[in-house]
């Protein structure tokens, strides 16, 4: 099984990410919140326009999408230095422990280098697999720079 990574280029790619996102949503701490595909389609329009700093990168195994990264290139709020924030890194359960996440992050890193970002920030806020995520991030050379917390209001 070969993993192919590519940038999203079409509305169909956005729809594919929306469906993968539906699976992520169902698995995550956010599952009690309504899932809004229309809001995501509007974001997809921004992604495809190329004018808003968003990236959508898809992973496919044997022609079937198995994961994606949604990232945003933007300046730090305190500096003109450019950074990349990975808003979503998701790989379907059947494709985990393979090469999809590594290859997705490799492409994100390549885009970051070309864009001259200073750092790429990757967070986990979905509420599952935190220990596995931490182990994986360290294994691929990431450094821990903080923690994520939430508080109910």
């Amino acid at each position: 099984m070969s993993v192919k990574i590519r940038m999203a280029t079409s509305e169909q790619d956005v729809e594919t990410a929306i469906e993968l996102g539906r699976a992520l949503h169902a698995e995550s701490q956010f599952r009690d919140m309504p899932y809004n595909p229309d809001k995501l389609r509007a974001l997809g329009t921004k992604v495809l326009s190329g004018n808003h700093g968003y990236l959508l990168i898809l992973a496919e195994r044997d022609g079937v999408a198995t994961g994606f990264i949604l990232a945003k290139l933007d300046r730090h709020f305190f500096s003109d230095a450019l950074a990349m924030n990975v808003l979503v890194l998701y790989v379907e359960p059947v494709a985990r422990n393979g090469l999809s996440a590594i290859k997705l992050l490799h492409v994100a890193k390549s885009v970051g280098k070309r864009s001259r970002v200073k750092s790429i920030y990757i967070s986990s806020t979905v509420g599952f697999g935190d220990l596995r995520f931490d182990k994986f991030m360290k294994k691929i050379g990431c450094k821990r720079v903080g923690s994520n917390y939430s508080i109910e209001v």
Side-chain angles (χ1 to χ4, degrees):
M1 291 191 194
S2 175
V3 177
K4 179 183 172 191
I5 307 297
R6 64 182 184 81
M7 302 299 287
T9 59
S10 69
E11 290 179 15
Q12 183 55 53
D13 291 339
V14 170
E15 290 298 322
T16 297
I18 288 170
E19 286 310 306
L20 287 168
R22 189 180 304 278
L24 166 62
H25 179 261
E27 219 179 324
S28 78
Q29 70 168 337
F30 304 111
R31 65 186 157 272
D32 293 334
M33 294 180 193
Y35 189 71
N36 187 343
D38 292 331
K39 183 171 187 173
L40 295 170
R41 282 185 194 93
L43 178 58
T45 299
K46 288 182 179 181
V47 170
L48 295 176
S49 78
N51 297 326
H52 298 277
Y54 287 102
L55 307 168
L56 180 57
I57 308 167
L58 299 171
E60 297 174 334
R61 233 162 68 174
D62 299 324
V64 177
T66 57
F68 70 99
I69 280 179
L70 175 64
K72 176 90 164 97
L73 291 165
D74 208 351
R75 307 253 176 234
H76 287 277
F77 71 93
F78 59 87
S79 170
D80 291 331
L82 190 62
M84 179 186 294
N85 287 290
V86 174
L87 306 172
V88 179
L89 165 60
Y90 179 70
V91 175
E92 287 185 315
V94 296
R96 291 179 192 159
N97 297 321
L99 294 174
S100 296
I102 291 170
K103 287 186 171 189
L104 283 164
L105 287 167
H106 178 75
V107 169
K109 189 174 178 181
S110 295
V111 172
K113 281 183 181 179
R114 284 195 311 271
S115 302
R116 294 191 168 101
V117 303
K118 292 290 183 188
S119 301
I120 297 174
Y121 299 96
I122 308 161
S123 300
S124 176
T125 60
V126 293
F128 69 86
D130 293 335
L131 295 176
R132 285 181 59 202
F133 181 78
D134 187 59
K135 184 178 175 183
F136 172 71
M137 289 289 114
K138 288 177 182 175
K139 184 177 179 179
I140 64 168
C142 294
K143 291 182 251 174
R144 178 181 277 273
V145 293
S147 299
N148 299 305
Y149 296 90
S150 70
I151 188 167
E152 301 259 341
V153 292

